[in-house]
Amino acid sequence: DKVSRGQAQLVKGADIKDDLPTELKISLIAAIPHYSWKFRSILDLTFPLRLTDGAIRNSVNATTEKTAPAAAIDQIGCVLKRFIHAFAEIENEDANFFMAKFNVDNGFLRLDCKNRE
């Protein structure tokens, strides 16, 4: 599905094993037993990878360009207080509030947004 939407590309390992692209990021995947299906895949972005020729590829985390403002993570703990404050400031007593919580424990949520949304 992601391939058909242009979000991913499938490449055979045999086609690139002798000349890995420098921008290629490789991560380990662990298969952990799970109660509701056979296993749960966990992608670990923290470990470097040793190739068969002895070369070491840095971890995905180590090679990822960090673009988010440093203070962004610090703001996570303030979200509920901001919601409460925003709701309290609404002057229209008949206003409706629509909220949703997405549980993304077992997968990823991808949002396709327009530029600057």
Side-chain angles (χ1 to χ4, degrees):
D1 193 32
K2 290 184 185 239
V3 173
S4 66
R5 292 192 309 244
Q7 298 170 338
Q9 180 181 4
L10 291 178
V11 178
K12 292 182 180 180
D15 293 344
I16 63 170
K17 71 177 183 175
D18 296 324
D19 187 24
L20 295 176
T22 56
E23 67 276 4
L24 178 66
K25 296 180 179 184
I26 302 172
S27 296
L28 303 174
I29 295 179
I32 308 299
H34 194 271
Y35 66 91
S36 61
W37 54 81
K38 289 184 180 181
F39 65 90
R40 177 180 181 175
S41 295
I42 298 178
L43 178 63
D44 193 333
L45 305 176
T46 62
F47 285 94
L49 184 68
R50 183 182 307 275
L51 304 176
T52 54
D53 65 1
I56 295 178
R57 298 300 288 256
N58 287 329
S59 72
V60 171
N61 282 357
T63 59
T64 300
E65 180 182 345
K66 294 168 178 55
T67 59
I73 296 300
D74 297 337
Q75 298 298 316
I76 291 174
C78 302
V79 173
L80 182 58
K81 291 178 188 177
R82 288 183 178 172
F83 278 136
I84 293 169
H85 177 76
F87 294 160
E89 292 294 309
I90 300 293
E91 293 182 14
N92 180 354
E93 293 180 10
D94 296 326
N96 294 314
F97 299 101
F98 297 96
M99 298 180 65
K101 177 187 177 289
F102 295 96
N103 182 356
V104 292
D105 283 355
N106 298 319
F108 294 93
L109 178 65
R110 181 177 180 92
L111 299 175
D112 291 322
C113 300
K114 294 178 184 171
N115 191 22
R116 309 204 40 92
E117 278 189 331

